[in-house]
Amino acid sequence: MDADEKVDRQALILEAVLRLLSLQGISGVSMRAVAREAGVSLGLVNYHYEDKTSLIRAALHRIEEQDIALVEPDLALEPEERLRAALTRVADPEFLTTEYLSLRLQLWALAQAHEDFERINTEAQKRYRAGLAALIGAARPELPPDECGKRAADIDVIQNGLWLTALLGLDRASISRSVARCEEIALAG
Amino acid sequence: MDADEKVDRQALILEAVLRLLSLQGISGVSMRAVAREAGVSLGLVNYHYEDKTSLIRAALHRIEEQDIALVEPDLALEPEERLRAALTRVADPEFLTTEYLSLRLQLWALAQAHEDFERINTEAQKRYRAGLAALIGAARPELPPDECGKRAADIDVIQNGLWLTALLGLDRASISRSVARCEEIALAG
DNA sequence: GCATATATTGAACGATCGTTCAGGCCCTCG
DNA sequence: CGAGGGCCTGAACGATCGTTCAATATATGC
């Protein structure tokens, strides 16, 4: 009768967590609220995720994937265009949604309180910077690796600020200026 | 017998909130935990602060004061040095402590979930940018006001990133490069 | 069709939450 | 001295929390 596409309830639960975390913060994420939001029973949440901590961990890993994907080389492009594409992507309206940014902020805040969350976060940041440095190295092969690392770090600072500023009060003009500044840093010399 | 300096217990309670919020996030801030941390009874917390919301509000206003003070003109200096001092102050180890940064992050995260917290936050950011723009205007009188505003916005982006990056993994070198970049932006032309 | 495994439910547990409140302490003023 | 008011305490309330678990439904393999 109804669509026989089987729903992956574990995925439904994770999406509910992301939604609640983004909209209401960690205080809004109770096992019962998650169950209600996902449209499943309370018991099922604990069935698919051992406890609340592993639920949050799953959310962290989900965001991590998205972030790393930002610096995934787009092999269809030339190295320099590849780098430009990655730098522009962070300001893409598709990524710069309040939901995504707020979620990031909540996860950062959580990482401050729990050591293992912080580890996941730090690891992700390292991978992101490494990906960015690799893109810069490919676009400017004459640069020594540590210079690429420096530039990647500088760009990371601005991008973090860009994300945060976008969240606290979207200001499209200053965001696009910041993106331009990132390109200057990356491609200078 | 012992020191008869009367302790201001209301202040003790607020400091306990700031400490707990910074170290454990909002989940660690219960009325009982605050009372324990401040060394007072549970009832007293509700006596001095109507409810938990007004406790958080007090914490927000406290941080707001500190932020605005950063761009308070230091009248002992010449305009340009005054601006430089303000820009350097944000990277001062005295301000760049994990406790302070984490506290900021937690409050930002809270602002995402509660509308009135967000209002306080937005207001504070506006005041901060205005203060920064005024400093720039004083150091470069030939600049039109809207150009000062633009530069203040750009610097705000980088500073937000600087704070966030410092929190996620302190990297002194990239922080001082970012401070230098802020000076360039402010004093260009 | 029957057994076996997996997925799902909701009641129940003890712990902790925010808030209320009756009462005790201490200082001040008449 | 005694009344009154601000400060402070801890017990108590009902609500909600995370977690457990026995029971049921659904799918899978023989």
Side-chain angles (χ1 to χ4, degrees), chain B residues 91-140:
Chain B
D92 191 318
E94 186 192 342
F95 275 101
L96 232 49
T97 63
T98 303
E99 172 166 359
Y100 171 74
L101 294 171
S102 178
L103 181 54
R104 264 192 88 105
L105 186 61
Q106 300 297 336
L107 291 173
W108 276 330
L110 281 173
Q112 290 304 307
H114 295 79
E115 216 171 308
D116 47 339
F117 294 165
E118 186 175 22
R119 242 187 318 251
I120 299 178
N121 233 9
T122 308
E123 201 56 41
Q125 196 192 17
K126 243 186 250 168
R127 284 176 58 196
Y128 180 81
R129 282 198 184 185
L132 195 51
L135 283 176
I136 295 176
R140 288 279 179 275

Side-chain angles (χ1 to χ4, degrees), chain A residues 124-136:
Chain A
Q125 196 192 16
K126 243 185 250 169
R127 285 177 57 196
Y128 181 81
R129 281 198 184 185
L132 195 51
L135 283 177
I136 295 176

Side-chain angles (χ1 to χ4, degrees), chain A residues 1 15 19 28 30 33 35 44-45 50 55 111 116 135 159-160:
Chain A
M1 204 63 67
E15 279 160 30
R19 211 157 40 236
S30 69
L44 195 63
V45 181
E50 193 188 346
L55 241 190
D116 47 340
L135 283 177
Q159 288 185 340
N160 279 339

Side-chain angles (χ1 to χ4, degrees), chain B residues 29-32 36 42-43 46 50-52:
Chain B
V29 181
S30 69
M31 302 301 268
R32 283 169 180 80
R36 198 180 322 122
L42 171 60
N46 267 300
E50 194 187 345
D51 52 19
K52 195 178 173 177

Side-chain angles (χ1 to χ4, degrees), chain A residues 47-126:
Chain A
Y47 175 78
H48 284 300
Y49 297 91
E50 193 188 346
D51 54 18
K52 196 178 173 179
T53 301
S54 69
L55 241 190
I56 306 291
R57 228 188 329 255
L60 261 170
H61 281 125
R62 172 68 156 270
I63 281 289
E64 182 183 354
E65 286 171 31
Q66 288 195 33
D67 285 355
I68 301 294
L70 281 175
V71 288
E72 203 74 1
D74 181 348
L75 295 173
L77 301 174
E78 291 300 301
E80 183 165 331
E81 281 311 308
R82 215 182 288 164
L83 172 57
R84 275 190 216 276
L87 293 177
T88 310
R89 230 176 293 167
V90 306
D92 190 318
E94 187 192 341
F95 275 101
L96 233 48
T97 62
T98 303
E99 172 165 358
Y100 170 73
L101 295 171
S102 179
L103 182 54
R104 264 191 88 105
L105 186 60
Q106 300 297 335
L107 291 173
W108 276 329
L110 282 173
Q112 290 304 307
H114 296 77
E115 216 171 308
D116 47 340
F117 294 165
E118 187 175 22
R119 241 188 319 252
I120 299 177
N121 233 9
T122 309
E123 201 55 41
Q125 196 192 16
K126 243 185 250 169

Side-chain angles (χ1 to χ4, degrees), chain B residues 160-171:
Chain B
N160 279 339
L162 195 150
W163 281 327
L164 197 51
T165 308
L167 187 55
L168 300 181
L170 199 69
D171 175 355

